[in-house]
Amino acid sequence: RDRNQKTMMCPSLFIDGFDHHKTMWIYRYVLIAAFFSTSFGGSIQPCAECEEGIVMGGVDIVAYHTLTAGESGVLGQAKYSSVYKGYTFHFATAANRITFETNPNKFLPAWGGFCAWGVTREGTNANPSPHAESGWPWTATHMGPPCGPFDGWAIVNGTLFCAINQDTMDSWLAIGPQAIAYGNLRWSSWFGDTSSGPLNSGCFPGPSMEVCLKKGKTFPNRTHSG
């Protein structure tokens, strides 16, 4: 397994001026064929249930803390919605909504819920990692690495992280604590601190990837009150 091949991680369509051969290859097999088989033996499946405009595609961010590693994220419901810092969240139960509203910051995903590998390793803009991979478009104004909220999640020291799929998350976890340190530095360089910046409400495996990866999306900063 070669963890240094960027096509094995959060796949990018690359912006103009980058590798167009890989652009077409990834576009064909991720966006058209509906999945991209990786050398890790896994696949990136379109998130058909992810809802545009809802943080983590509508998956319940409180429920993750009750799951065992490897279990699928739990889809929330619109009737159990909550708005915080200008973003909408869905929860599977009224109890989970209340739990979130009692202490929102405890449950917010790190780095906005964008792909942890992408924040830590993909692109050199504001990236302190000596292993940063060139050729990726991510910047403070070009977000963001897609997250697979059903299978790409992990809880690390009580904090929710997301990656595009489980294989990518496993590879990110294998880096160890330095991955979080580099990611925190990069995110803070972009947005001032780790509690600011956008939340992922529209970059998931599937149709939204084309826009997020090629052009980026505009997400509001978490600067105003809920």
PDB file of all heavy atoms in Angstrom, residues 28-46:
ATOM      1  N   ARG A  28     -14.120   9.983 -14.329  1.00  0.00           N
ATOM      2  CA  ARG A  28     -14.819   8.867 -14.952  1.00  0.00           C
ATOM      3  C   ARG A  28     -15.214   7.799 -13.949  1.00  0.00           C
ATOM      4  O   ARG A  28     -16.327   7.305 -13.958  1.00  0.00           O
ATOM      5  CB  ARG A  28     -13.931   8.269 -16.041  1.00  0.00           C
ATOM      6  CG  ARG A  28     -14.586   7.129 -16.813  1.00  0.00           C
ATOM      7  CD  ARG A  28     -13.668   6.651 -17.911  1.00  0.00           C
ATOM      8  NE  ARG A  28     -14.276   5.585 -18.685  1.00  0.00           N
ATOM      9  CZ  ARG A  28     -13.663   4.962 -19.671  1.00  0.00           C
ATOM     10  NH1 ARG A  28     -12.427   5.305 -20.005  1.00  0.00           N
ATOM     11  NH2 ARG A  28     -14.267   4.007 -20.336  1.00  0.00           N
ATOM     12  N   TYR A  29     -14.284   7.467 -13.074  1.00  0.00           N
ATOM     13  CA  TYR A  29     -14.522   6.333 -12.196  1.00  0.00           C
ATOM     14  C   TYR A  29     -15.150   6.697 -10.858  1.00  0.00           C
ATOM     15  O   TYR A  29     -15.727   5.856 -10.206  1.00  0.00           O
ATOM     16  CB  TYR A  29     -13.222   5.561 -11.976  1.00  0.00           C
ATOM     17  CG  TYR A  29     -12.805   4.825 -13.219  1.00  0.00           C
ATOM     18  CD1 TYR A  29     -11.856   5.356 -14.084  1.00  0.00           C
ATOM     19  CD2 TYR A  29     -13.402   3.623 -13.569  1.00  0.00           C
ATOM     20  CE1 TYR A  29     -11.493   4.697 -15.242  1.00  0.00           C
ATOM     21  CE2 TYR A  29     -13.048   2.966 -14.727  1.00  0.00           C
ATOM     22  CZ  TYR A  29     -12.087   3.495 -15.565  1.00  0.00           C
ATOM     23  OH  TYR A  29     -11.743   2.852 -16.719  1.00  0.00           O
ATOM     24  N   VAL A  30     -15.051   7.952 -10.431  1.00  0.00           N
ATOM     25  CA  VAL A  30     -15.702   8.342  -9.187  1.00  0.00           C
ATOM     26  C   VAL A  30     -17.089   8.892  -9.456  1.00  0.00           C
ATOM     27  O   VAL A  30     -18.060   8.486  -8.829  1.00  0.00           O
ATOM     28  CB  VAL A  30     -14.875   9.393  -8.428  1.00  0.00           C
ATOM     29  CG1 VAL A  30     -15.595   9.804  -7.159  1.00  0.00           C
ATOM     30  CG2 VAL A  30     -13.528   8.811  -8.061  1.00  0.00           C
ATOM     31  N   LEU A  31     -17.178   9.819 -10.378  1.00  0.00           N
ATOM     32  CA  LEU A  31     -18.435  10.530 -10.564  1.00  0.00           C
ATOM     33  C   LEU A  31     -19.379   9.846 -11.535  1.00  0.00           C
ATOM     34  O   LEU A  31     -20.584   9.974 -11.410  1.00  0.00           O
ATOM     35  CB  LEU A  31     -18.147  11.960 -11.036  1.00  0.00           C
ATOM     36  CG  LEU A  31     -17.291  12.770 -10.065  1.00  0.00           C
ATOM     37  CD1 LEU A  31     -16.989  14.140 -10.651  1.00  0.00           C
ATOM     38  CD2 LEU A  31     -17.993  12.908  -8.743  1.00  0.00           C
ATOM     39  N   ILE A  32     -18.860   9.145 -12.512  1.00  0.00           N
ATOM     40  CA  ILE A  32     -19.721   8.500 -13.498  1.00  0.00           C
ATOM     41  C   ILE A  32     -19.966   7.049 -13.125  1.00  0.00           C
ATOM     42  O   ILE A  32     -21.095   6.589 -13.090  1.00  0.00           O
ATOM     43  CB  ILE A  32     -19.129   8.615 -14.916  1.00  0.00           C
ATOM     44  CG1 ILE A  32     -19.071  10.095 -15.327  1.00  0.00           C
ATOM     45  CG2 ILE A  32     -19.955   7.812 -15.900  1.00  0.00           C
ATOM     46  CD1 ILE A  32     -18.500  10.334 -16.689  1.00  0.00           C
ATOM     47  N   ALA A  33     -18.908   6.311 -12.845  1.00  0.00           N
ATOM     48  CA  ALA A  33     -19.058   4.902 -12.507  1.00  0.00           C
ATOM     49  C   ALA A  33     -19.627   4.716 -11.106  1.00  0.00           C
ATOM     50  O   ALA A  33     -19.979   3.613 -10.729  1.00  0.00           O
ATOM     51  CB  ALA A  33     -17.728   4.174 -12.619  1.00  0.00           C
ATOM     52  N   ALA A  34     -19.683   5.808 -10.316  1.00  0.00           N
ATOM     53  CA  ALA A  34     -20.329   5.826  -9.005  1.00  0.00           C
ATOM     54  C   ALA A  34     -19.523   5.206  -7.890  1.00  0.00           C
ATOM     55  O   ALA A  34     -19.981   5.116  -6.777  1.00  0.00           O
ATOM     56  CB  ALA A  34     -21.717   5.186  -9.062  1.00  0.00           C
ATOM     57  N   PHE A  35     -18.332   4.741  -8.163  1.00  0.00           N
ATOM     58  CA  PHE A  35     -17.439   4.386  -7.083  1.00  0.00           C
ATOM     59  C   PHE A  35     -16.027   4.319  -7.607  1.00  0.00           C
ATOM     60  O   PHE A  35     -15.780   4.116  -8.779  1.00  0.00           O
ATOM     61  CB  PHE A  35     -17.816   3.042  -6.429  1.00  0.00           C
ATOM     62  CG  PHE A  35     -17.556   1.838  -7.295  1.00  0.00           C
ATOM     63  CD1 PHE A  35     -16.345   1.166  -7.247  1.00  0.00           C
ATOM     64  CD2 PHE A  35     -18.546   1.372  -8.145  1.00  0.00           C
ATOM     65  CE1 PHE A  35     -16.115   0.056  -8.031  1.00  0.00           C
ATOM     66  CE2 PHE A  35     -18.310   0.262  -8.946  1.00  0.00           C
ATOM     67  CZ  PHE A  35     -17.102  -0.400  -8.883  1.00  0.00           C
ATOM     68  N   PHE A  36     -15.083   4.488  -6.707  1.00  0.00           N
ATOM     69  CA  PHE A  36     -13.673   4.472  -7.088  1.00  0.00           C
ATOM     70  C   PHE A  36     -12.954   3.439  -6.226  1.00  0.00           C
ATOM     71  O   PHE A  36     -12.804   3.604  -5.036  1.00  0.00           O
ATOM     72  CB  PHE A  36     -13.060   5.848  -6.858  1.00  0.00           C
ATOM     73  CG  PHE A  36     -11.574   5.918  -7.071  1.00  0.00           C
ATOM     74  CD1 PHE A  36     -11.035   5.668  -8.310  1.00  0.00           C
ATOM     75  CD2 PHE A  36     -10.735   6.239  -6.025  1.00  0.00           C
ATOM     76  CE1 PHE A  36      -9.676   5.741  -8.504  1.00  0.00           C
ATOM     77  CE2 PHE A  36      -9.369   6.320  -6.209  1.00  0.00           C
ATOM     78  CZ  PHE A  36      -8.845   6.070  -7.454  1.00  0.00           C
ATOM     79  N   SER A  37     -12.533   2.319  -6.810  1.00  0.00           N
ATOM     80  CA  SER A  37     -11.846   1.286  -6.059  1.00  0.00           C
ATOM     81  C   SER A  37     -10.424   1.721  -5.790  1.00  0.00           C
ATOM     82  O   SER A  37      -9.708   2.142  -6.689  1.00  0.00           O
ATOM     83  CB  SER A  37     -11.847  -0.027  -6.847  1.00  0.00           C
ATOM     84  OG  SER A  37     -13.169  -0.506  -6.991  1.00  0.00           O
ATOM     85  N   THR A  38     -10.004   1.647  -4.537  1.00  0.00           N
ATOM     86  CA  THR A  38      -8.688   2.094  -4.150  1.00  0.00           C
ATOM     87  C   THR A  38      -7.773   0.932  -3.900  1.00  0.00           C
ATOM     88  O   THR A  38      -8.195  -0.213  -3.763  1.00  0.00           O
ATOM     89  CB  THR A  38      -8.762   2.928  -2.853  1.00  0.00           C
ATOM     90  OG1 THR A  38      -8.974   2.033  -1.764  1.00  0.00           O
ATOM     91  CG2 THR A  38      -9.872   3.954  -2.903  1.00  0.00           C
ATOM     92  N   SER A  39      -6.483   1.207  -3.816  1.00  0.00           N
ATOM     93  CA  SER A  39      -5.509   0.161  -3.565  1.00  0.00           C
ATOM     94  C   SER A  39      -5.556  -0.319  -2.125  1.00  0.00           C
ATOM     95  O   SER A  39      -4.881  -1.260  -1.757  1.00  0.00           O
ATOM     96  CB  SER A  39      -4.095   0.670  -3.861  1.00  0.00           C
ATOM     97  OG  SER A  39      -3.734   1.686  -2.954  1.00  0.00           O
ATOM     98  N   PHE A  40      -6.389   0.358  -1.303  1.00  0.00           N
ATOM     99  CA  PHE A  40      -6.542  -0.086   0.068  1.00  0.00           C
ATOM    100  C   PHE A  40      -7.577  -1.198   0.167  1.00  0.00           C
ATOM    101  O   PHE A  40      -7.831  -1.717   1.224  1.00  0.00           O
ATOM    102  CB  PHE A  40      -6.994   1.087   0.950  1.00  0.00           C
ATOM    103  CG  PHE A  40      -5.960   2.152   1.064  1.00  0.00           C
ATOM    104  CD1 PHE A  40      -6.019   3.273   0.261  1.00  0.00           C
ATOM    105  CD2 PHE A  40      -4.902   2.017   1.938  1.00  0.00           C
ATOM    106  CE1 PHE A  40      -5.056   4.259   0.355  1.00  0.00           C
ATOM    107  CE2 PHE A  40      -3.934   3.008   2.031  1.00  0.00           C
ATOM    108  CZ  PHE A  40      -4.016   4.122   1.231  1.00  0.00           C
ATOM    109  N   GLY A  41      -8.182  -1.577  -0.951  1.00  0.00           N
ATOM    110  CA  GLY A  41      -9.175  -2.635  -0.953  1.00  0.00           C
ATOM    111  C   GLY A  41     -10.565  -2.130  -0.631  1.00  0.00           C
ATOM    112  O   GLY A  41     -11.501  -2.901  -0.536  1.00  0.00           O
ATOM    113  N   GLY A  42     -10.735  -0.832  -0.491  1.00  0.00           N
ATOM    114  CA  GLY A  42     -12.043  -0.264  -0.211  1.00  0.00           C
ATOM    115  C   GLY A  42     -12.566   0.461  -1.422  1.00  0.00           C
ATOM    116  O   GLY A  42     -12.022   0.374  -2.513  1.00  0.00           O
ATOM    117  N   SER A  43     -13.658   1.177  -1.253  1.00  0.00           N
ATOM    118  CA  SER A  43     -14.214   1.939  -2.355  1.00  0.00           C
ATOM    119  C   SER A  43     -14.854   3.200  -1.812  1.00  0.00           C
ATOM    120  O   SER A  43     -15.216   3.274  -0.647  1.00  0.00           O
ATOM    121  CB  SER A  43     -15.256   1.126  -3.127  1.00  0.00           C
ATOM    122  OG  SER A  43     -16.333   0.769  -2.298  1.00  0.00           O
ATOM    123  N   ILE A  44     -14.957   4.185  -2.687  1.00  0.00           N
ATOM    124  CA  ILE A  44     -15.601   5.438  -2.331  1.00  0.00           C
ATOM    125  C   ILE A  44     -16.984   5.424  -2.952  1.00  0.00           C
ATOM    126  O   ILE A  44     -17.132   5.546  -4.165  1.00  0.00           O
ATOM    127  CB  ILE A  44     -14.773   6.634  -2.826  1.00  0.00           C
ATOM    128  CG1 ILE A  44     -13.401   6.632  -2.147  1.00  0.00           C
ATOM    129  CG2 ILE A  44     -15.509   7.937  -2.539  1.00  0.00           C
ATOM    130  CD1 ILE A  44     -12.445   7.634  -2.723  1.00  0.00           C
ATOM    131  N   GLN A  45     -17.986   5.230  -2.119  1.00  0.00           N
ATOM    132  CA  GLN A  45     -19.358   5.122  -2.597  1.00  0.00           C
ATOM    133  C   GLN A  45     -20.047   6.483  -2.547  1.00  0.00           C
ATOM    134  O   GLN A  45     -19.851   7.240  -1.592  1.00  0.00           O
ATOM    135  CB  GLN A  45     -20.136   4.129  -1.738  1.00  0.00           C
ATOM    136  CG  GLN A  45     -19.551   2.728  -1.706  1.00  0.00           C
ATOM    137  CD  GLN A  45     -19.731   1.985  -3.008  1.00  0.00           C
ATOM    138  OE1 GLN A  45     -20.522   2.407  -3.859  1.00  0.00           O
ATOM    139  NE2 GLN A  45     -19.009   0.897  -3.184  1.00  0.00           N
ATOM    140  N   PRO A  46     -20.850   6.807  -3.541  1.00  0.00           N
ATOM    141  CA  PRO A  46     -21.614   8.054  -3.481  1.00  0.00           C
ATOM    142  C   PRO A  46     -22.511   8.077  -2.258  1.00  0.00           C
ATOM    143  O   PRO A  46     -23.091   7.058  -1.882  1.00  0.00           O
ATOM    144  CB  PRO A  46     -22.442   8.021  -4.764  1.00  0.00           C
ATOM    145  CG  PRO A  46     -21.723   7.091  -5.669  1.00  0.00           C
ATOM    146  CD  PRO A  46     -21.103   6.052  -4.785  1.00  0.00           C
TER     147      PRO A  46
END
